[in-house]
Amino acid sequence: MILFQYVRWKNLLSTGDVWTEINFIKSKSTLIVGENGAGKSTILDAVCFGLFGKPFRKINKPQLVNSINRKGMLIELEFKIGNRQYLIRRGQKPSVFEILQDGNVINQNSEAREYQDYLESNILKLNFKSFQQIVILGSASFTPFMQLPASHRREIIEDLLDIQIFSTMNSLLKDKVTINRTSLYEVDYGIKGAAEKIELYKKHIESLKQNNDEIVAQKELQKAGFNDQINQANTRIGSIQNEIEQLSNSINDHEKVQTRSEKLATLSRQLEGKLDKIKKDLDFFQRSDDCPTCRQGIAHEHKIGIVEKNTTQVSEIESGKEKVIFEMESINSRLAEISNVTSQISTLNREATDLNIQVRMLNTSISSIEKEINGLMTNNKQIDTNTEELKVLKDQLRASLEMKQQLTEEKAVLEVASVLLKDSGVKTKIIKQYIPVINKLVNKYLAAMDFFVAFELNENFEETIKSRHRDDFSYESFSEGEKMRIDLALLFTWRAVSKLRNSASTNLLIMDEVFDSSLDNNGTEEFLKIIGTLTTDTNLFIISHKGDTLFDKFHSLIKFEKHKNFSRISK
Ligand SMILES: Nc1ncnc2c1ncn2[C@@H]1O[C@H](COP(=O)(O)OP(=O)(O)OP(=O)(O)O)[C@@H](O)[C@H]1O
Ligand SMILES: [Mg+2]
């Protein structure tokens, strides 16, 4: 409960550089009168500016400063909440904003905006909209509750019941829901991506493995084939060497036979020469009797002797020659054999040389195949790195899945919280509890004004009003005076509910020409009657031009006037 005590102001609107002060608690009811422009409604701006930092009328803050003095606008508002005494001091030119609690300035190093938030939510616990519904009602800005749209009705009732915290929680929750949804989406996206990548890696590794194994096997086969060929060639070379050895052994008399052949040829030539000479001699002796040198006759015996001797020699030589020729024939046939073997040997040698070349070439091929196989083995390294990366991806996927699990659980919790915090949730539960109380109070106040209708507000804040004849009426069906009674009944109901909830409850009620137009003489009487009975702990201020009729019904009177262009309270 806020107990408003004083408001004072200067250089505000038409007020000059002297304090104008209103004591709120001096009197139960006060009538405020004065001509148009005298400065009555200025009270509303003073209170609003003091509490909320904004004027009551729809002008901006600089427009509040008195246009003659142009500076030093200042407002002081004093009130008590519980045992604590507060003073708010607020001004323009220079700009001032101070809150004093029991005489001490409350820490002011925050921004003005935060300081104002602190004042509204921690000290006053009421907001501007509700304030205009239940504390200060101005003819220009006051819209009766019944003429407000459902969303505004809800806002005011939530404020009165002090359950706006659930709306705040709900809007915080909405942020959380959005974050949760976005995170879930991102995690899902990550999971999908990781799963696809894992598939790709698996396939890649598999194909690497398959290719490698196949090619290596092929190469090994090729290598084995080459080795076979080398072995075959080597075997062949071995047998060629054996053959050559055997053949060489079979002609190891080659030199001897050759020498013999040459010797025989020489011998044959020598025998031929000897034979020629002996034949010549023989021929001479057979044909001549004289010595060709000494021209003496040759003795006949001697001659016969020589012929005989020579003939024997010829036959001896010829028989020798025959032997030589015979041997030469056998030697020549051996030489022919040897030459045949020699040519066989060189054929074999050529074959062996060819085979050796082939072996060298095969060895070269084998080493190049081995190099290729080694290269393919390094592919295995690639497989290893890919396998490593695959493992990392799998870990990531597992972490993402865990995250998703967590987020999904959180989502379920948030969904439950959403249901609870929705308008139809906890708030409706609380509102439902209060609706019968509200209806009871409204009908009580209506009855007190001798207005007998059955008023009912449902949990969506829609009204049904049944008149005496049990017809369904809506608010708009009623006359201005009847509407006023409903409006007043609601006004007092809100104030009573505030008191029940200990929220937004105050002693102050200011009405600025609010019901002036709808008050006939009868209505005015009733208005005052009801106000008299219902405002026991209220300090009521009525600004009205109907001063003449109302004058004697109030405990006090304040009269505003303009003096030399400045407004003041007349003595
Ligand atoms: N910045 C300003 N400086 C000086 N005077 C101002 C300034 N702004 C408004 N005014 C004047 O101050 C007066 C404000 O008076 P206020 O609204 O309090 O009158 P009122 O007594 O409520 O009159 P009404 O009965 O017509 O509602 C008006 O005459 C208005 O023209
Ligand atoms: Mg006015």
Side-chain angles (χ1 to χ4, degrees):
M1 155 93 180
I2 307 167
L3 181 75
F4 287 100
Q5 295 157 315
Y6 294 95
V7 67
R8 63 185 79 86
W9 65 88
K10 57 182 177 183
N11 292 313
L12 174 69
L13 299 172
S14 52
T15 315
D17 199 27
V18 281
W19 287 115
T20 295
E21 184 183 87
I22 305 270
N23 180 340
F24 290 133
I25 47 176
K26 194 178 84 185
S27 172
K28 283 284 124 199
S29 62
T30 307
L31 179 67
I32 299 171
V33 295
E35 291 176 353
N36 289 133
K40 306 180 292 294
S41 302
T42 305
I43 302 174
L44 278 66
D45 296 287
V47 174
C48 274
F49 187 69
L51 289 176
F52 299 103
K54 42 191 162 197
F56 185 78
R57 61 191 78 191
K58 291 190 174 72
I59 58 173
N60 57 37
K61 278 196 279 182
Q63 286 175 297
L64 280 173
V65 184
N66 179 261
S67 61
I68 300 167
N69 293 335
R70 292 171 185 267
K71 62 174 172 137
M73 187 268 263
L74 196 60
I75 287 161
E76 288 186 355
L77 190 64
E78 286 185 43
F79 55 91
K80 207 172 167 181
I81 299 175
N83 292 323
R84 294 201 180 281
Q85 184 65 46
Y86 290 93
L87 168 67
I88 297 175
R89 192 177 284 133
R90 230 193 267 252
Q92 295 262 291
K93 293 193 169 190
S95 130
V96 178
F97 181 20
E98 285 176 347
I99 305 167
L100 282 82
Q101 188 184 58
D102 297 329
N104 304 311
V105 177
I106 291 176
N107 184 7
Q108 212 185 352
N109 51 20
S110 55
E111 294 273 310
R113 166 102 217 106
E114 285 170 29
Y115 205 46
Q116 180 61 34
D117 281 348
Y118 178 80
L119 173 65
E120 284 180 34
S121 46
N122 292 16
I123 300 175
L124 302 173
K125 292 178 179 152
L126 52 80
N127 70 29
F128 195 38
K129 210 171 247 164
S130 308
F131 192 72
Q132 291 178 82
Q133 278 291 322
I134 64 168
V135 182
I136 51 174
L137 286 56
S139 56
S141 61
F142 175 70
T143 312
F145 183 82
M146 297 312 305
Q147 290 176 33
L148 290 173
S151 62
H152 284 197
R153 291 181 181 190
R154 169 179 285 280
E155 223 173 288
I156 286 160
I157 290 179
E158 283 186 1
D159 198 32
L160 293 174
L161 297 180
D162 204 14
I163 54 173
Q164 277 188 326
I165 182 69
F166 296 112
S167 300
T168 313
M169 281 165 79
N170 197 27
S171 78
L172 289 175
L173 182 76
K174 274 180 186 153
D175 292 345
K176 278 194 171 173
V177 167
T178 310
I179 291 168
N180 176 271
R181 198 189 311 118
T182 321
S183 307
L184 256 178
Y185 178 80
E186 278 168 3
V187 163
D188 266 336
Y189 192 79
I191 288 172
K192 213 177 135 219
E196 275 169 9
K197 260 193 190 166
I198 285 173
E199 256 333 284
L200 274 174
Y201 266 88
K202 276 185 179 166
K203 275 187 186 154
H204 183 56
I205 290 168
E206 228 163 78
S207 80
L208 274 178
K209 271 187 183 161
Q210 216 176 25
N211 281 350
N212 243 26
D213 292 352
E214 269 172 21
I215 296 169
V216 168
Q218 234 173 350
K219 297 279 170 196
E220 292 286 3
L221 212 68
Q222 216 176 358
K223 187 179 147 188
F226 288 168
N227 272 326
D228 274 355
Q229 286 182 41
I230 289 172
N231 286 339
Q232 277 170 19
N234 282 335
T235 313
R236 176 74 190 130
I237 289 168
S239 69
I240 286 172
Q241 275 164 352
N242 275 341
E243 254 177 88
I244 288 174
E245 204 181 314
Q246 275 169 20
L247 288 170
S248 299
N249 285 340
S250 75
I251 55 165
N252 54 7
D253 56 343
H254 183 193
E255 265 176 51
K256 226 165 79 191
V257 173
Q258 187 67 37
T259 318
R260 184 73 191 144
S261 158
E262 280 161 15
K263 269 188 183 159
L264 284 173
T266 314
L267 190 59
S268 162
R269 272 196 308 279
Q270 283 172 349
L271 288 175
E272 203 68 44
K274 239 180 200 170
L275 199 59
D276 263 9
K277 192 171 173 288
I278 293 168
K279 271 184 179 170
K280 259 184 210 160
D281 285 353
L282 192 60
D283 187 52
F284 173 76
F285 280 105
Q286 277 170 341
R287 280 185 287 119
S288 324
D289 297 320
D290 298 331
C291 174
T293 324
C294 56
R295 295 276 176 205
Q296 284 171 1
I298 303 163
H300 187 63
E301 287 90 16
H302 179 64
K303 188 176 156 178
I304 289 200
I306 288 175
V307 169
E308 271 179 12
K309 198 181 133 206
N310 277 7
T311 308
T312 311
Q313 270 185 349
V314 165
S315 73
E316 272 174 14
I317 288 171
E318 274 187 338
S319 118
K321 198 180 145 190
E322 252 169 57
K323 273 183 194 159
V324 168
I325 285 171
F326 180 77
E327 203 188 330
M328 269 182 83
E329 266 168 13
S330 118
I331 286 287
N332 279 342
S333 104
R334 177 73 191 138
L335 273 176
E337 268 174 36
I338 285 172
S339 138
N340 184 27
V341 169
T342 312
S343 88
Q344 272 183 53
I345 286 174
S346 49
T347 307
L348 286 170
N349 267 330
R350 267 202 304 282
E351 195 188 339
T353 308
D354 285 354
L355 284 170
N356 274 322
I357 290 169
Q358 203 186 330
V359 167
R360 255 205 316 280
M361 277 162 63
L362 284 168
N363 274 324
T364 314
S365 299
I366 283 173
S367 44
S368 84
I369 284 176
E370 275 169 350
K371 257 185 215 156
E372 281 178 55
I373 288 174
N374 276 342
L376 288 167
M377 289 306 178
T378 48
N379 259 3
N380 282 338
K381 270 185 204 152
Q382 217 182 321
I383 291 172
D384 287 348
T385 41
N386 275 309
T387 313
E388 276 296 306
E389 278 167 38
L390 180 64
K391 195 175 162 287
V392 172
L393 277 172
K394 278 183 175 168
D395 287 348
Q396 275 174 10
L397 180 64
R398 200 170 310 117
S400 293
L401 286 171
E402 270 166 27
M403 183 72 165
K404 185 182 174 172
Q405 171 78 16
Q406 232 174 326
L407 285 169
T408 313
E409 279 164 20
E410 190 187 306
K411 188 185 167 191
V413 172
L414 290 174
E415 272 166 4
V416 172
S418 294
V419 172
L420 291 177
L421 293 179
K422 263 203 300 208
D423 283 349
S424 56
V426 177
K427 280 195 295 189
T428 297
K429 269 245 157 68
I430 295 173
I431 289 167
K432 265 187 186 163
Q433 282 186 328
Y434 274 90
I435 288 288
V437 178
I438 290 168
N439 286 331
K440 211 169 161 189
L441 284 167
V442 173
N443 286 304
K444 187 186 113 183
Y445 292 127
L446 286 171
M449 284 184 277
D450 295 325
F451 187 42
F452 294 99
V453 289
F455 180 94
E456 209 181 309
L457 208 59
N458 67 17
E459 64 209 48
N460 296 319
F461 317 111
E462 295 150 348
E463 79 281 10
T464 36
I465 309 169
K466 289 199 172 114
S467 79
R468 238 172 300 225
H469 311 293
R470 300 235 150 255
D471 296 319
D472 260 350
F473 273 34
S474 74
Y475 176 79
E476 295 298 338
S477 315
F478 294 101
S479 77
E480 294 310 302
E482 288 167 333
K483 280 184 197 156
M484 182 204 74
R485 285 167 175 82
I486 297 172
D487 294 341
L488 278 175
L490 282 164
L491 169 65
F492 286 106
T493 299
W494 302 147
R495 290 180 67 93
V497 169
S498 299
K499 210 169 282 170
L500 283 177
R501 293 290 296 181
N502 200 19
S503 67
S505 158
T506 90
N507 63 315
L508 189 61
L509 175 57
I510 308 176
M511 294 193 216
D512 185 0
E513 297 181 36
V514 176
F515 300 111
D516 265 20
S517 60
S518 43
L519 288 176
D520 58 15
N521 283 340
N522 203 17
T524 308
E525 285 290 315
E526 281 169 13
F527 174 67
L528 293 170
K529 202 171 85 192
I530 185 174
I531 279 179
T533 55
L534 299 175
T535 59
T536 44
D537 48 7
T538 301
N539 295 103
L540 173 70
F541 290 81
I542 302 279
I543 300 170
S544 175
H545 285 287
K546 303 211 163 177
D548 307 342
T549 37
L550 294 171
F551 179 65
D552 54 345
K553 312 278 194 300
F554 285 81
H555 295 102
S556 321
L557 178 79
I558 295 174
K559 189 168 192 294
F560 277 87
E561 63 178 12
K562 264 232 180 97
H563 177 71
K564 294 182 181 166
N565 286 325
F566 290 115
S567 291
R568 67 177 187 187
I569 295 175
S570 58
K571 298 273 150 45

